[in-house]
Amino acid sequence: MGLTSWNRRGFLGSVAMAASALLMPRRSTATNRTTAGDTGLSGFGQSGSPYEELGVTTVINAQGTMTMLGGSLIRPEVEVVMAQASRHFVNIPDLEEAAGRRIAEMLKLPDGYGALVTSGAAAAMQSGLAGILTGDNEFFIKQLPDLTGMKSEVILQKSHRNPFDHQLRATGVKLIEIETRDQLRVAVNERTAMMHFSNFASEAGQIKADEWAKLAKEYKVPCFNDAAADTPPVSHLWDYTNMGYDLVAFSGGKAIRGPQCAGLLIGRKDLVRYALLNNSPHEDTLGRGQKVGKEEILGMIKALELYLNEDHDALRKEWQDRLDLISREITRIPGVSTSFFTPDIANHVPHMRITWDARIPLTPQQVAQSLRNSRPAIVIGGGEGKPGLTMNSFMLQPDEDQAVADRLAHILRDHSA
Ligand SMILES: *Cc1c(COP(=O)(O)O)cnc(C)c1O
């Protein structure tokens, strides 16, 4: 199902369906009708705009899958499955194992590889490493982040350090930074638990993804790839295990459009099993705070199914069409130019850079701020060290491309000399 068919009526229809199923028997709502339709609710949420009821502004997202903005929007079908999940009790470890088997089949993972639904890619990193450190040793699992008796170092390239390695450090390990192959060889020792790779930083380091996995094999050290935001392309979901990575992490709530609090840990069956032992629902574990619910587990499977069946070429074309529409409108203003690019890795979707000359005496920050102050509010990327503004369109909802075009044209035209 493409984004085009994800129209407003379909979305609200499914919400109503899910809501009515949840609220049996349905209460009369004749007096509560609002513009959003019959929500079947009274009190909080009855307007159909619970955010508005709280006085919190929703935004048009032209920046991408940012956790700070709520990541991505789940599809109606995912919502329906999550509602189905919410109506029954179930043994969570059993559910996790069954879900992992289903996901491994869907991704056609090689024999000996499995999957685990976590509360996000960050959680997959932490519990994946925790599992490597403890194995199935109950005593060690309870002892983390005290590493007495366990290995205690994780090696990564200096350029691959980033805020998410906090999840690795949370297990108690020391991060060992290297830059060259020689430094790597010297750094590997009997304390080395894992070799970590941050996929988006691939270009920055001397050792690329495939060589990193090969070297890890040579040194007999488990290796991990944080590929959280690295679908599309969809093939990345199996490329890195095929490349030799023992564990790979993906966000569920980014381009896959699964539940916001879901992620995938994919990799060697034994390591995936140890990761679950270090995670909620098991108590007295490092990962108990990273609870993943039955709703997220089932919602993740549905999201993945839909994502795998999507026409990715059609989707990419639709994303480009939306940018073209905005470009046509704003480049009519003298001095405004646009250019297009697709990052090789991480947010591998069409992007548009918008620049303007001295005829429009506004800084990119001022334009971005004006967009944010608009109603509806629009969030767009800064130049990321480059001139102008950058945006993408893969998180835009129907008709929002036109809204962005209109608003942007209005701001730029208002200030043109
Ligand atoms: C988003 C992201 C994460 C965290 O993913 P969550 O699913 O939000 O936990 C980790 N690493 C990278 C590179 C990311 O982009």
Side-chain angles (χ1 to χ4, degrees), residues 73-209:
L73 303 184
I74 57 175
R75 293 177 172 86
E77 296 93 325
V78 173
E79 205 168 333
V80 171
V81 169
M82 289 177 79
Q84 290 171 347
S86 73
R87 286 177 216 135
H88 302 278
F89 294 100
V90 66
N91 180 292
I92 295 290
D94 287 352
L95 178 64
E96 277 284 28
E97 279 181 32
R101 278 195 300 275
R102 172 63 68 91
I103 291 169
E105 282 165 27
M106 288 163 70
L107 298 179
K108 300 186 177 70
L109 297 181
D111 264 0
Y113 283 77
L116 177 68
V117 179
T118 61
S119 64
M125 287 166 64
Q126 187 186 295
S127 50
L129 174 55
I132 288 173
L133 293 164
T134 64
D136 57 4
N137 183 319
E138 227 171 283
F139 183 80
F140 283 163
I141 290 171
K142 288 181 182 172
Q143 188 188 286
L144 284 185
D146 172 354
L147 292 171
T148 308
M150 290 173 254
K151 297 184 191 279
S152 58
E153 293 179 357
V154 168
I155 303 176
L156 78 182
Q157 297 179 80
K158 192 174 179 184
S159 53
H160 286 225
R161 290 294 310 269
N162 69 72
F164 290 107
D165 60 45
H166 201 130
Q167 311 313 317
L168 304 179
R169 288 182 282 123
T171 63
V173 299
K174 191 170 163 211
L175 298 182
I176 308 293
E177 296 176 3
I178 60 103
E179 287 180 273
T180 67
R181 291 167 186 81
D182 282 345
Q183 287 169 353
L184 172 61
R185 186 169 34 77
V186 174
V188 175
N189 63 49
E190 71 287 350
R191 293 182 300 278
T192 307
M194 186 175 95
M195 283 169 57
H196 186 73
F197 195 84
S198 304
N199 210 50
F200 76 92
S202 205
E203 276 313 297
Q206 294 183 23
I207 308 174
K208 308 302 178 201

Side-chain angles (χ1 to χ4, degrees), residues 65 67 118-125 162 164 167 198-200 226-230 249-254 260-264 346-347:
T65 51
T67 298
T118 61
S119 64
M125 287 166 64
N162 69 72
F164 290 107
Q167 311 313 317
S198 304
N199 210 50
F200 76 92
D226 168 16
D230 291 340
F250 291 99
S251 285
K254 289 181 180 166
Q260 185 48 207
C261 297
L264 289 174
N347 297 302

Side-chain angles (χ1 to χ4, degrees), residues 1-4 6 11 65 71-79 82 231 251-260 262 299-300 302-304 306-307 310 315 319 322 394-398:
M1 176 175 174
L3 287 183
T4 32
W6 198 53
F11 174 70
T65 51
S72 59
L73 303 184
I74 57 175
R75 293 177 172 86
E77 296 93 325
V78 173
E79 205 168 333
M82 289 177 79
T231 58
S251 285
K254 289 181 180 166
I256 300 171
R257 294 175 60 200
Q260 185 48 207
M300 193 63 229
K302 190 68 194 170
L304 203 55
L306 294 165
Y307 189 65
E310 194 127 51
L315 211 49
W319 295 336
R322 291 180 192 164
F394 73 134
M395 290 296 121
L396 292 181
Q397 300 306 294

